[in-house]
Short mmCIF file of all heavy atoms in Angstrom, two decimals:
data_model
loop_
_atom_site.label_atom_id
_atom_site.label_comp_id
_atom_site.label_asym_id
_atom_site.label_seq_id
_atom_site.Cartn_x
_atom_site.Cartn_y
_atom_site.Cartn_z
N LYS W 116 -107.72 20.03 -20.16
CA LYS W 116 -108.42 18.89 -19.58
C LYS W 116 -107.46 17.87 -18.97
O LYS W 116 -107.79 17.16 -18.03
CB LYS W 116 -109.30 18.22 -20.64
CG LYS W 116 -110.47 19.09 -21.06
CD LYS W 116 -111.32 18.37 -22.07
CE LYS W 116 -112.52 19.24 -22.49
NZ LYS W 116 -113.37 18.55 -23.50
N ASP W 117 -106.25 17.77 -19.52
CA ASP W 117 -105.34 16.76 -18.99
C ASP W 117 -104.71 17.18 -17.65
O ASP W 117 -104.07 16.37 -16.99
CB ASP W 117 -104.22 16.45 -20.01
CG ASP W 117 -103.42 17.69 -20.38
OD1 ASP W 117 -103.58 18.74 -19.70
OD2 ASP W 117 -102.63 17.60 -21.34
N ASN W 118 -104.89 18.46 -17.28
CA ASN W 118 -104.42 18.98 -16.00
C ASN W 118 -102.91 18.89 -15.82
O ASN W 118 -102.39 19.01 -14.71
CB ASN W 118 -105.10 18.26 -14.81
CG ASN W 118 -106.57 18.62 -14.70
OD1 ASN W 118 -106.94 19.75 -14.97
ND2 ASN W 118 -107.38 17.66 -14.32
N ASN W 119 -102.19 18.69 -16.90
CA ASN W 119 -100.74 18.61 -16.80
C ASN W 119 -100.08 19.97 -16.87
O ASN W 119 -99.02 20.19 -16.31
CB ASN W 119 -100.18 17.71 -17.90
CG ASN W 119 -100.58 16.25 -17.71
OD1 ASN W 119 -100.71 15.80 -16.57
ND2 ASN W 119 -100.78 15.52 -18.79
N THR W 120 -100.70 20.89 -17.61
CA THR W 120 -100.11 22.21 -17.78
C THR W 120 -101.20 23.27 -17.62
O THR W 120 -102.38 22.99 -17.75
CB THR W 120 -99.48 22.35 -19.19
OG1 THR W 120 -100.50 22.13 -20.18
CG2 THR W 120 -98.36 21.36 -19.38
N THR W 121 -100.76 24.48 -17.34
CA THR W 121 -101.68 25.61 -17.29
C THR W 121 -101.12 26.72 -18.17
O THR W 121 -99.91 26.89 -18.28
CB THR W 121 -101.84 26.13 -15.85
OG1 THR W 121 -100.55 26.52 -15.37
CG2 THR W 121 -102.42 25.07 -14.93
N THR W 122 -102.01 27.43 -18.78
CA THR W 122 -101.60 28.56 -19.61
C THR W 122 -102.32 29.81 -19.12
O THR W 122 -103.43 29.75 -18.59
CB THR W 122 -101.97 28.32 -21.09
OG1 THR W 122 -103.39 28.07 -21.17
CG2 THR W 122 -101.22 27.14 -21.63
N VAL W 123 -101.66 30.93 -19.26
CA VAL W 123 -102.23 32.21 -18.84
C VAL W 123 -102.57 33.00 -20.10
O VAL W 123 -101.68 33.33 -20.89
CB VAL W 123 -101.23 32.98 -17.96
CG1 VAL W 123 -101.82 34.32 -17.55
CG2 VAL W 123 -100.86 32.16 -16.75
N VAL W 124 -103.84 33.28 -20.28
CA VAL W 124 -104.28 34.00 -21.48
C VAL W 124 -105.31 35.04 -21.08
O VAL W 124 -105.89 34.99 -20.00
CB VAL W 124 -104.91 33.04 -22.51
CG1 VAL W 124 -103.93 31.99 -22.97
CG2 VAL W 124 -106.16 32.38 -21.94
N GLN W 125 -105.52 35.98 -21.95
CA GLN W 125 -106.59 36.97 -21.80
C GLN W 125 -107.68 36.63 -22.79
O GLN W 125 -107.40 36.37 -23.96
CB GLN W 125 -106.06 38.38 -22.06
CG GLN W 125 -105.09 38.89 -21.00
CD GLN W 125 -105.77 39.16 -19.67
OE1 GLN W 125 -106.98 39.34 -19.61
NE2 GLN W 125 -104.99 39.17 -18.60
N PRO W 126 -108.95 36.62 -22.35
CA PRO W 126 -110.03 36.29 -23.28
C PRO W 126 -110.23 37.38 -24.32
O PRO W 126 -109.86 38.54 -24.11
CB PRO W 126 -111.26 36.18 -22.36
CG PRO W 126 -110.93 37.04 -21.20
CD PRO W 126 -109.44 36.92 -21.00
N ARG W 127 -110.82 37.01 -25.45
CA ARG W 127 -111.14 37.99 -26.47
C ARG W 127 -112.20 38.95 -25.94
O ARG W 127 -112.94 38.63 -25.00
CB ARG W 127 -111.68 37.30 -27.74
CG ARG W 127 -110.72 36.32 -28.37
CD ARG W 127 -111.26 35.88 -29.74
NE ARG W 127 -112.67 35.49 -29.65
CZ ARG W 127 -113.08 34.25 -29.37
NH1 ARG W 127 -112.18 33.29 -29.11
NH2 ARG W 127 -114.37 33.96 -29.31
N PRO W 128 -112.31 40.16 -26.53
CA PRO W 128 -113.32 41.12 -26.05
C PRO W 128 -114.74 40.58 -26.06
O PRO W 128 -115.56 40.96 -25.23
CB PRO W 128 -113.15 42.30 -27.01
CG PRO W 128 -111.74 42.20 -27.49
CD PRO W 128 -111.44 40.74 -27.56
N ASP W 129 -115.05 39.68 -27.02
CA ASP W 129 -116.41 39.14 -27.11
C ASP W 129 -116.55 37.78 -26.42
O ASP W 129 -117.58 37.11 -26.54
CB ASP W 129 -116.84 39.02 -28.57
CG ASP W 129 -115.92 38.08 -29.36
OD1 ASP W 129 -114.79 37.83 -28.90
OD2 ASP W 129 -116.35 37.61 -30.44
N GLU W 130 -115.50 37.36 -25.69
CA GLU W 130 -115.51 36.05 -25.04
C GLU W 130 -115.74 36.22 -23.54
O GLU W 130 -115.02 36.98 -22.88
CB GLU W 130 -114.18 35.34 -25.28
CG GLU W 130 -114.07 33.97 -24.62
CD GLU W 130 -112.69 33.36 -24.78
OE1 GLU W 130 -111.80 34.04 -25.34
OE2 GLU W 130 -112.50 32.23 -24.34
N TYR W 131 -116.71 35.53 -23.01
CA TYR W 131 -117.03 35.62 -21.58
C TYR W 131 -116.54 34.36 -20.86
O TYR W 131 -116.73 33.24 -21.35
CB TYR W 131 -118.53 35.81 -21.37
CG TYR W 131 -118.98 37.21 -21.70
CD1 TYR W 131 -119.26 37.59 -23.01
CD2 TYR W 131 -119.10 38.17 -20.71
CE1 TYR W 131 -119.67 38.89 -23.31
CE2 TYR W 131 -119.51 39.47 -20.99
CZ TYR W 131 -119.79 39.82 -22.30
OH TYR W 131 -120.18 41.11 -22.60
N ILE W 132 -115.94 34.57 -19.71
CA ILE W 132 -115.37 33.46 -18.95
C ILE W 132 -116.41 32.91 -17.97
O ILE W 132 -117.44 33.54 -17.70
CB ILE W 132 -114.11 33.89 -18.17
CG1 ILE W 132 -114.49 34.96 -17.11
CG2 ILE W 132 -113.05 34.40 -19.10
CD1 ILE W 132 -113.37 35.30 -16.16
N ASP W 133 -116.12 31.74 -17.42
CA ASP W 133 -116.97 31.14 -16.40
C ASP W 133 -116.60 31.77 -15.05
O ASP W 133 -115.45 31.72 -14.61
CB ASP W 133 -116.75 29.63 -16.35
CG ASP W 133 -117.69 28.93 -15.38
OD1 ASP W 133 -118.50 29.62 -14.72
OD2 ASP W 133 -117.63 27.69 -15.28
N THR W 134 -117.57 32.40 -14.41
CA THR W 134 -117.30 33.08 -13.14
C THR W 134 -117.29 32.13 -11.95
O THR W 134 -116.91 32.54 -10.85
CB THR W 134 -118.36 34.16 -12.87
OG1 THR W 134 -119.66 33.54 -12.83
CG2 THR W 134 -118.35 35.21 -13.97
N HIS W 135 -117.73 30.88 -12.14
CA HIS W 135 -117.80 29.90 -11.04
C HIS W 135 -118.59 30.47 -9.87
O HIS W 135 -118.16 30.43 -8.71
CB HIS W 135 -116.39 29.51 -10.58
CG HIS W 135 -115.52 28.96 -11.68
ND1 HIS W 135 -115.73 27.72 -12.24
CD2 HIS W 135 -114.46 29.50 -12.34
CE1 HIS W 135 -114.82 27.50 -13.19
NE2 HIS W 135 -114.05 28.56 -13.27
N LEU W 136 -119.77 31.02 -10.18
CA LEU W 136 -120.58 31.68 -9.17
C LEU W 136 -120.95 30.72 -8.04
O LEU W 136 -120.93 31.10 -6.86
CB LEU W 136 -121.85 32.26 -9.81
CG LEU W 136 -122.80 33.02 -8.88
CD1 LEU W 136 -122.08 34.18 -8.21
CD2 LEU W 136 -124.01 33.52 -9.66
N GLY W 137 -121.29 29.47 -8.39
CA GLY W 137 -121.64 28.49 -7.36
C GLY W 137 -120.50 28.25 -6.39
O GLY W 137 -120.70 28.16 -5.17
N TYR W 138 -119.28 28.15 -6.93
CA TYR W 138 -118.11 27.94 -6.09
C TYR W 138 -117.87 29.15 -5.19
O TYR W 138 -117.51 29.00 -4.00
CB TYR W 138 -116.88 27.69 -6.96
CG TYR W 138 -115.60 27.58 -6.18
CD1 TYR W 138 -115.29 26.43 -5.48
CD2 TYR W 138 -114.69 28.65 -6.15
CE1 TYR W 138 -114.10 26.33 -4.75
CE2 TYR W 138 -113.52 28.56 -5.42
CZ TYR W 138 -113.23 27.40 -4.74
OH TYR W 138 -112.07 27.31 -4.01
N LEU W 139 -118.08 30.36 -5.72
CA LEU W 139 -117.91 31.58 -4.92
C LEU W 139 -118.90 31.61 -3.76
O LEU W 139 -118.55 31.99 -2.63
CB LEU W 139 -118.08 32.82 -5.80
CG LEU W 139 -116.99 33.09 -6.84
CD1 LEU W 139 -117.37 34.30 -7.69
CD2 LEU W 139 -115.64 33.32 -6.16
N ILE W 140 -120.15 31.22 -4.03
CA ILE W 140 -121.17 31.20 -2.97
C ILE W 140 -120.81 30.17 -1.90
O ILE W 140 -120.92 30.43 -0.70
CB ILE W 140 -122.56 30.92 -3.57
CG1 ILE W 140 -122.99 32.10 -4.48
CG2 ILE W 140 -123.59 30.70 -2.47
CD1 ILE W 140 -124.27 31.85 -5.24
N TRP W 141 -120.36 28.99 -2.35
CA TRP W 141 -119.96 27.95 -1.40
C TRP W 141 -118.78 28.42 -0.56
O TRP W 141 -118.74 28.20 0.67
CB TRP W 141 -119.59 26.67 -2.13
CG TRP W 141 -118.76 25.71 -1.33
CD1 TRP W 141 -117.46 25.35 -1.56
CD2 TRP W 141 -119.16 25.03 -0.13
NE1 TRP W 141 -117.03 24.48 -0.59
CE2 TRP W 141 -118.04 24.26 0.30
CE3 TRP W 141 -120.33 24.99 0.61
CZ2 TRP W 141 -118.08 23.47 1.42
CZ3 TRP W 141 -120.36 24.20 1.75
CH2 TRP W 141 -119.25 23.45 2.14
N THR W 142 -117.82 29.09 -1.17
CA THR W 142 -116.66 29.60 -0.45
C THR W 142 -117.09 30.64 0.59
O THR W 142 -116.59 30.65 1.72
CB THR W 142 -115.65 30.23 -1.43
OG1 THR W 142 -115.24 29.26 -2.38
CG2 THR W 142 -114.42 30.73 -0.68
#
Side-chain angles (χ1 to χ4, degrees):
K116 292 182 180 179
D117 58 11
N118 290 325
N119 292 327
T120 59
T121 59
T122 57
V123 179
V124 299
Q125 291 291 340
R127 300 189 312 271
D129 61 340
E130 179 185 4
Y131 285 83
I132 63 172
D133 185 359
T134 59
H135 304 289
L136 182 58
Y138 175 77
L139 291 176
I140 294 174
W141 161 247
T142 302

